[in-house]
Amino acid sequence: MEGDHAQLRTAGVDLGGLMTVLGQHLYSTPLVALRELVQNAHDSIVRRRLEDPQPPVAPRIVVSGDIGARTVRVTDTGTGLTDAEIHQYLATVGVGYTRGLRQAGAGSDELIGMFGLGFLSAFVIAERVTVHTTSYQRPERGWRYQSSNGEQYSLSPAPAREVGTVVELLLRPEHARLAGEDYLARVLGRYCALLRVPIFIGAAAEPVNPEPPPWRDPDAGNEHPVQARKRQLRFASRFESQFEPICALPVAAPEHDLKGLLWVQDGGTYGNSDNRNLSVFVRGMLLDDDARELLPSWAGFAGGVIESSRLMPTASREDLQRNDAYRSAQHAISEALIVGLAALAREQPEAWRRILARHNEALLGAALGDARLFELLAGEVRIPSSHGELRAGALRRDGAIHVGLGGGGFEDMLFRMLGVPVARGDRYAVLPFLRQWTQRHGGRLIEIGTEQGNRQLFTEQSLPQAELDWLREALADGERLVPARFAPAELPLMAVPDREAELKRRLESDEADKRISMTALRLVRGFTAGIDGSAQARLYVNLDNPAIQALLDTARRDPAAAAPAARLLKAIKQLMDSHSEADGQGPRLNGALAAIGDSALRLLPSQAASIAATPAQGEQPIA
């Protein structure tokens, strides 16, 4: 076995082509190959520290590249390999020395490899892989491994070198850019940021992982809080690619073997924004830089870096297994974010104000995710309203908060006249937030446009059927006319869109079938089945208004005399109804303006006689 001639061997796999399939399809990106090779080098160094009585004083990994030659070399000061170990571990799929060490309990907190598949990733990017290695067990003997596909390889003796291993890749032409040392520094500076072994690029004097993360620094407890925050933000900025971090929040959950750092981004977010980003390190190596699902769904403004030895990677080591450890990490991260925000509000008021300004709308939704967050934010976040953005307490008038489910029209007119702010319930999270707020802090929530809310605003009255029919004919444009009494008395009538009917119409449209899953539609349509959607709005006629009283008195005696005034009121309603133009009925506004002028002429005594012979549309007696 230790002869001087090359030995041609077949890998320890019986199924033809398995190496090629794994090499080409197990990993999704060529960058993974660099990570896996550095990981193997790291584990070799850990193994040497565990096994060699005299390990190197300064272990290190050097990654060098040459774009012109299309080569990348990964050099380590680890254990190296004997020829038997090359056959057993390097060239056999699914068998790795690291896994054996972990199963024996040796160095399990530092060893990264798990499946014995990492070396295959080299064949994703390389047309030839050459390994020069010298084992600490036989420092006088070197070996040279070479393969072009991982299925067959040659192994031959080689001059002894410093104990350790050099893996050299001849890159495929399409991956030549990976040999650029600037590129290597950028990629490995991220992948290897938490490794304890220093990683050098080429002849660089400083490693790409020069300082430990804040939670690992033994001197962190002695720092002044301001200096500690600066260091945390500096570390966060290495991973936050979109925004500057505003603040950093530590993660420390030893019961879940979880530690790390979260931060809040300095970038405005809205209800539909999701800028979550989370990098997950397992035993010091980056495994997933898009683990956003570990962050709470409401935290669209947060980023973070965590590390754990309990989180289990998939075979490709590009994702995490969704097991109990994963769910425990989700809970711990959510707790760290909630507790951290509360501490921030107490201890860093300036940063807290900045967060509230940047993420007001997103925080409205976040408050609904946890009772502690709600208490923290209930008096801080601002609600969009007809009077600008106000805190919930400022919206409450006479024990009630009014919320509109749509803007414009006579809804705005009513509350402008009353001087009462109306919350914009059609904005993200406003309505459910205000429901919780009134439940916790008292008061009534009046949802304008819903049947329940309208009952609180308008006291319905009855009229003789003949008068009701005349008013409907004279004033309504398809709305359901409702005689009522409401404040202010100066407002003669008010058209209130039926928001529940609008919802029913949208959900029962053909477009809803295209945009919403049938399961969700069936659930929602079960609710909307009980909604009477025959009228899209209610027209409340105010019997406390002097003009309406006079209109009815006149109509009882002489309907023709009342008609001009009715036309004037109807035209004003149409003119001020913001929904007319939105519904594609813009010409109706022109007709409303014309009707106002015509009605004014008819109401002028000097003009009434000359146009008396031209009855206005809608004139009819009350029976």
Side-chain angles (χ1 to χ4, degrees):
M1 184 172 290
E2 296 187 4
D4 294 334
H5 59 281
Q7 303 169 32
L8 186 63
R9 297 296 186 103
T10 302
V13 179
D14 294 332
L15 300 177
L18 178 59
M19 296 288 281
T20 302
V21 171
L22 289 175
Q24 292 181 356
H25 301 294
L26 180 61
Y27 302 103
S28 65
T29 168
L31 297 180
V32 174
L34 298 175
R35 182 197 69 192
E36 293 294 315
L37 293 175
V38 172
Q39 168 195 300
N40 289 348
H42 169 273
D43 284 354
S44 180
I45 288 172
V46 173
R47 176 191 167 192
R48 187 172 181 187
R49 177 167 53 79
L50 295 171
E51 297 181 355
D52 189 351
Q54 295 180 330
V57 176
R60 57 193 278 140
I61 298 170
V62 178
V63 182
S64 57
D66 184 332
I67 290 183
R70 302 203 325 265
T71 57
V72 170
R73 290 183 183 86
V74 179
T75 305
D76 67 67
T77 57
T79 60
L81 295 167
T82 65
D83 58 336
E85 288 173 337
I86 290 173
H87 297 312
Q88 185 175 0
Y89 301 121
L90 192 64
T92 303
V93 176
V95 177
Y97 193 90
T98 297
R99 185 170 59 185
L101 283 176
R102 180 177 293 105
Q103 290 171 346
S108 58
D109 290 340
E110 295 183 58
L111 295 167
I112 304 170
M114 297 189 67
F115 303 107
L117 298 174
F119 187 65
L120 289 177
S121 64
F123 297 99
V124 174
I125 62 174
E127 59 185 38
R128 186 176 68 242
V129 178
T130 304
V131 178
H132 297 272
T133 184
T134 299
S135 172
Y136 80 97
Q137 302 172 68
R138 299 287 304 275
E140 77 286 355
R141 182 62 131 165
W143 293 97
R144 180 177 179 271
Y145 161 103
Q146 191 169 82
S147 178
S148 296
N149 56 18
E151 292 183 65
Q152 290 187 317
Y153 62 95
S154 66
L155 181 63
S156 59
R161 58 173 302 279
E162 180 185 1
V163 171
T165 301
V166 179
V167 179
E168 180 178 298
L169 309 181
L170 176 61
L171 299 173
R172 301 180 190 278
E174 63 269 27
H175 298 307
R177 68 187 180 94
L178 299 182
E181 293 194 345
D182 288 343
Y183 184 85
L184 289 170
R186 186 167 64 254
V187 170
L188 297 179
R190 187 175 180 88
Y191 272 120
C192 308
L194 304 193
L195 282 183
R196 289 177 167 86
V197 176
I199 315 293
F200 294 86
I201 304 299
E206 291 293 324
V208 294
N209 51 340
E211 59 180 339
W215 57 90
R216 261 203 234 146
D217 192 334
D219 298 326
N222 301 322
E223 277 185 314
H224 188 278
V226 173
Q227 293 301 319
R229 290 169 194 159
K230 287 182 177 179
R231 190 158 57 88
Q232 290 171 347
L233 289 174
R234 186 171 66 248
F235 178 83
S237 297
R238 292 173 57 187
F239 291 87
E240 179 55 59
S241 59
Q242 298 185 68
F243 307 100
E244 174 193 353
I246 294 177
C247 63
L249 312 172
V251 179
E255 68 278 16
H256 301 296
D257 184 33
L258 190 71
K259 46 195 173 293
L261 199 68
L262 305 175
W263 55 83
V264 178
Q265 302 156 346
D266 188 13
T269 57
Y270 303 92
N272 59 351
S273 301
D274 187 358
N275 297 316
R276 290 177 297 168
N277 65 81
L278 186 70
S279 297
V280 177
F281 288 76
V282 176
R283 300 181 182 91
M285 180 64 76
L286 177 65
L287 292 187
D288 191 349
D289 60 358
D290 188 23
R292 61 172 56 200
E293 296 305 319
L294 279 171
L295 286 163
S297 59
W298 47 260
F301 46 79
V305 175
I306 62 166
E307 68 169 331
S308 170
S309 59
R310 289 190 187 176
L311 292 170
M312 293 292 291
T314 58
S316 69
R317 300 180 60 81
E318 296 179 81
D319 199 0
L320 298 166
Q321 297 181 26
R322 270 44 171 187
N323 54 17
D324 289 343
Y326 184 92
R327 288 181 285 274
S328 296
Q330 281 182 312
H331 176 73
I333 291 169
S334 179
E335 287 293 299
L337 195 52
I338 294 169
V339 172
L341 288 173
L344 193 77
R346 294 191 306 269
E347 300 166 8
Q348 300 182 55
E350 183 178 346
W352 180 238
R353 286 193 297 270
R354 194 169 161 195
I355 289 171
L356 291 170
R358 291 289 190 273
H359 304 296
N360 182 80
E361 184 175 352
L363 290 170
L364 270 175
L368 302 172
D370 185 274
R372 293 164 295 170
L373 266 181
F374 192 91
E375 289 304 318
L376 175 65
L377 295 166
E380 301 277 10
V381 290
R382 296 177 178 273
I383 313 296
S385 78
S386 58
H387 286 46
E389 291 195 342
L390 302 173
R391 292 186 174 91
L395 290 169
R396 187 167 56 182
R397 304 292 171 88
D398 298 325
I401 291 179
H402 299 82
V403 56
L405 304 183
F410 280 88
E411 295 168 86
D412 284 353
M413 170 61 69
L414 172 66
F415 291 99
R416 280 200 299 270
M417 295 181 71
L418 289 173
V420 175
V422 183
R424 301 296 190 192
D426 55 341
R427 301 285 183 84
Y428 172 74
V430 167
L431 184 56
F433 179 88
L434 290 176
R435 283 174 177 162
Q436 278 204 34
W437 195 93
T438 51
Q439 288 171 5
R440 291 168 179 264
H441 296 85
R444 295 172 296 127
L445 186 66
I446 300 176
E447 299 176 29
I448 308 165
T450 66
E451 186 174 348
Q452 182 180 10
N454 290 344
R455 280 200 300 267
Q456 297 181 71
L457 287 173
F458 308 104
T459 304
E460 296 188 14
Q461 304 291 308
S462 60
L463 285 176
Q465 188 63 43
E467 294 185 13
L468 195 62
D469 291 343
W470 187 85
L471 284 173
R472 184 182 299 112
E473 183 67 26
L475 300 176
D477 287 299
E479 306 98 340
R480 178 179 298 162
L481 188 132
V482 182
R485 298 184 186 279
F486 56 90
E490 292 81 4
L491 190 62
L493 72 175
M494 177 176 176
V496 179
D498 188 331
R499 303 301 182 193
E500 292 174 338
E502 286 182 2
L503 175 64
K504 179 183 178 77
R505 185 178 72 252
R506 288 199 302 270
L507 291 174
E508 294 182 353
S509 69
D510 292 338
E511 285 299 314
D513 292 336
K514 301 175 184 177
R515 293 182 287 106
I516 306 174
S517 73
M518 290 307 299
T519 301
L521 274 179
R522 278 194 295 269
L523 290 172
V524 177
R525 286 172 177 172
F527 165 75
T528 59
I531 297 174
D532 179 9
S534 57
Q536 298 303 310
R538 288 181 174 86
L539 177 60
Y540 290 95
V541 177
N542 193 355
L543 300 185
D544 284 339
N545 180 262
I548 295 296
Q549 294 172 1
L551 180 68
L552 284 171
D553 288 342
T554 303
R556 293 184 190 107
R557 299 189 307 270
D558 184 358
R567 290 188 71 212
L568 183 61
L569 288 173
K570 181 176 181 179
I572 292 173
K573 179 203 71 171
Q574 293 173 336
L575 185 64
M576 300 183 66
D577 183 1
S578 67
H579 296 278
S580 298
E581 192 164 9
D583 291 340
Q585 300 178 24
R588 194 170 71 169
L589 293 178
N590 295 332
L593 290 170
I596 289 174
D598 181 70
S599 299
L601 288 173
R602 290 176 181 276
L603 291 171
L604 292 172
S606 60
Q607 298 293 323
S610 63
I611 58 176
T614 309
Q617 181 181 1
E619 290 182 5
Q620 53 183 308
I622 298 178

